[in-house]
Amino acid sequence: MGLSPDNFHGLTLAVSSSIFIGASFIMKKKGLIKAGTKGIRAGSGGYTYLYEPLWWVGMISMIVGEIANFAAYAFAPAILVTPLGALSIIVSAVLAHFVLEEKLHIFGVLGCALCVVGSISIVLHAPQEKPIHSVKQVWQHATQPGFIIYTFLVLIVVAVLIFRYVPRYGHTHMVVYVGICSLMGSLTVMSVKAVGIALKLTFSEMNQFKYFETWVFVLVVTVCCVFQLNYLNKALDTFNTAIIAPVYYVMFTIFTILASVILFKDWESQSGAQIVTELCGFITILSGTFLLHKTKDMGNDASKDKDPPLVESPNHVDTPSNTDSQR
C-alpha cells in the first residue's frame, strides 16, 4: 500500500525538518565555540554568540526545520510526522562525530537507540487529538483546572531550577538546562498549536486575531521560546552535543505529550493496552537516558585511563630515602 500524495508531502517535510534541526545543533555549537574564544562563553552567562554569523546560520536552520515540521502536520497525520523527529538525533550525532569530533561510545549509541524506540512507542500509542475549530475552544481547554495546575507546576519547577540548581549544578548536570528547555517547550507547543489554529482559520476567512486569546497565546510562545533558546545555548556550550540532542528530544517529547493529554483530555478515549504500552515506552526512555548519563564520558576518557609510559629521569639517583619509599 503506497503513500497518498498528502502523506508523501508530509513525509518529505518531516524528514527535511529533522535534517535542518539536527544540523542546526552542530552549526550553533560551532558558533558558540568560536564566540567563546572572543568573549564570555554562553555557559558562563555571556551573549557573544549573538555576534557570530555561524550561530545565526544554525538558528535560521532550526527555524526552517520547525516551520517544515509545522507544515508537515497540515498534510500528514501526527502518527506519521512526530516519530520522524527522532531522525534529528541521528543527524546531530553523526555530524557531531565528524564535524565536532565528539565521540559517542557504543553504550551511548545503545542509549540513543533506547530513547528513540521508547519515544516512538509513546508517540505511536498516544491518544488521538479531538478536532479544534476555534481559538476560543483551545482557551476553554487551557483554563480548565487540570491544565492550570500543570502550568503552575511547570513554572514553579522551572523557577527552582533557574534560581537554585543552575548556579550549583548547571555546569555539571545537563538535565538542569535541558529540563528547563523541555518544560517550557511543552507550554510552547500548546501555544503554537493555538496560534496555528488561528492562522489556519484566518486563512479560511474566519479571522481569529480579533480575539485577545490569540494574542495571549502569541505572547506565551514568544516568552517560552526566549527561555528555551537561552538555556539550550548554555547546554550546547557546556556539554557534548551528541548527548544533548537525544536527551532533549526524549524529555521534550514526554512533557509535550503529558501537556497535550492534560489539555485536551484525550486519555479518556484510551484503552488499557494503550496505557500499558505507553508506560513501557516511558521505562525504555528512562533506561536509555540513564545509560546516556552513565556513559557520556567513556569515549573521551578512554585515553586518560591508560597508564603513562614510565620514563626514567636522567637526573634520577636512587638515594636511600627514595629506595625506602619505593618499598
Side-chain angles (χ1 to χ4, degrees), residues 7 16 21 26 31 33 38 40 67 85 90 92 128 133 162 186 213-215 226 258 263 271 276 278 281 311 322:
N7 278 5
S16 300
I21 292 175
I26 306 305
I33 293 173
K38 303 176 182 178
I40 301 175
I67 292 174
I90 300 173
S92 179
Q128 295 295 322
H133 304 289
I162 292 175
S186 66
E213 291 91 346
T214 302
W215 295 105
V226 170
L258 178 61
L263 180 61
S271 65
V276 171
E278 289 179 6
V311 180
N322 288 334

Side-chain angles (χ1 to χ4, degrees), residues 316-327:
H316 176 77
V317 178
D318 284 336
T319 61
S321 58
N322 288 334
T323 305
D324 292 339
S325 62
Q326 292 174 2
R327 292 174 184 171

Side-chain angles (χ1 to χ4, degrees), residues 59-308:
M59 189 69 239
I60 293 172
S61 177
M62 176 170 283
I63 293 173
V64 171
E66 293 295 349
I67 292 174
N69 187 61
F70 180 80
Y73 284 98
F75 292 96
I79 198 171
L80 173 64
V81 177
T82 307
L84 294 177
L87 293 177
S88 63
I89 298 175
I90 300 173
V91 173
S92 179
V94 171
L95 290 178
H97 179 82
F98 291 104
V99 177
L100 301 178
E101 297 183 355
E102 295 181 352
K103 306 301 179 182
L104 188 62
H105 193 271
I106 185 62
F107 289 109
V109 174
L110 178 59
C112 290
L114 288 172
C115 290
V116 171
V117 170
S119 297
I120 291 176
S121 177
I122 290 176
V123 171
L124 290 178
H125 295 87
Q128 295 295 322
E129 293 182 345
K130 299 175 182 178
I132 303 295
H133 304 289
S134 169
V135 170
K136 285 184 172 291
Q137 188 176 349
V138 181
W139 181 262
Q140 290 174 356
H141 286 297
T143 53
Q144 292 295 316
F147 192 73
I148 290 177
I149 292 173
Y150 173 80
T151 302
F152 273 108
L153 287 176
V154 166
L155 295 178
I156 290 172
V157 172
V158 168
V160 171
L161 288 174
I162 292 175
F163 294 108
R164 180 176 177 83
Y165 289 97
V166 165
R168 299 182 181 183
Y169 306 108
H171 293 280
T172 57
H173 295 73
M174 66 177 173
V175 174
V176 177
Y177 288 146
V178 176
I180 295 173
C181 295
S182 302
L183 286 166
M184 297 301 290
S186 66
L187 299 181
T188 303
V189 172
M190 299 302 103
S191 299
V192 165
K193 182 174 179 61
V195 175
I197 292 172
L199 288 171
K200 180 180 178 181
L201 293 175
T202 299
F203 289 143
S204 301
E205 300 182 353
M206 291 182 288
N207 185 18
Q208 299 293 303
F209 286 89
K210 63 183 179 181
Y211 303 123
F212 83 93
E213 291 91 346
T214 302
W215 295 105
V216 171
F217 286 125
V218 171
L219 178 63
V220 173
V221 170
T222 304
V223 173
C224 290
C225 282
V226 170
F227 269 91
Q228 284 181 261
L229 289 175
N230 183 37
Y231 286 98
L232 182 59
N233 284 328
K234 291 178 183 293
L236 287 172
D237 192 47
T238 308
F239 302 101
N240 190 316
T241 308
I243 304 298
I244 293 174
V247 173
Y248 176 64
Y249 169 77
V250 167
M251 294 183 67
F252 175 78
T253 301
I254 289 175
F255 289 122
T256 298
I257 291 177
L258 178 61
S260 181
V261 168
I262 295 174
L263 180 61
F264 299 110
K265 296 182 174 63
D266 294 322
W267 53 268
E268 294 177 347
S269 62
Q270 284 193 290
S271 65
Q274 288 177 309
I275 295 175
V276 171
T277 303
E278 289 179 6
L279 289 176
C280 291
F282 274 108
I283 294 173
T284 305
I285 288 174
L286 292 176
S287 301
T289 304
F290 176 81
L291 192 58
L292 281 169
H293 276 287
K294 285 297 182 180
T295 62
K296 64 184 179 186
D297 296 322
M298 288 182 68
N300 297 328
D301 292 343
S303 60
K304 297 179 183 179
D305 294 336
K306 295 181 180 178
D307 292 329

Side-chain angles (χ1 to χ4, degrees), residues 1-9 11 80:
M1 183 176 176
L3 288 173
S4 66
D6 281 350
N7 278 5
F8 178 77
H9 292 317
L11 176 63
L80 173 64

